[in-house]
Amino acid sequence: MADVLPLVEARLRSALGEPDARAAVTFLGTDRIEVLRFPAEGPEGDIVRYATLGMSAQPMADPTAPLADPVKGPRAELVLSVRAGVADTGKVLRPLAVLAASPQVEGVIVAPGASLDVGEALWPGAPFTSVLVAEPGGLVEDLELDAPLDPVRFLPLLPMTPNEAAWKRVHGAQALQERWLTHGTDLRDPSRRSVPLE
């Protein structure tokens, strides 16, 4: 079912423009994952976006299922938006590929509300080692595929500080997002501090 990926790339290009860089990462026992960088342009001229390409080639399988269904199951790609020129975010390509490979490597289903941790800074000097998976549909619309395939969803990633990730584990994703909203947190700021959690 590798023919899904050209459709996914076309949807990303129509929503985000032409990528100005791409990197491919292959992990042992997994399909190749590419990460595309879309330069800062348009009305939000200082936002650069990174999108994975390859995660949706296979459906994500329930880790408790005895056999993975090769056709049915949720499909997704990941999208990260950050302010350009503030930090060396270009190094986020490999951590993003690691996250995109996690359904194949660890047998997890990536869905809104989930936390994903890379175990190291997302880019050099970043105060974030994990991300919150947000609801899709805002930036890049879902890509409908022919039945019986599930649509490809483009899941935004919101970087979390270790304190925010720990607080989210206790209080939940919704509570953390409300706290960000209450404090007017700029989630695209690659050097932002943790939101007050008291």
Side-chain angles (χ1 to χ4, degrees), residues 17-43:
E18 285 300 308
D20 67 350
R22 60 197 305 153
V25 182
T26 306
F27 303 98
L28 195 62
T30 68
D31 296 331
R32 187 169 104 138
I33 303 281
E34 286 191 280
V35 180
L36 280 56
R37 185 180 73 186
F38 296 88
E41 57 186 37

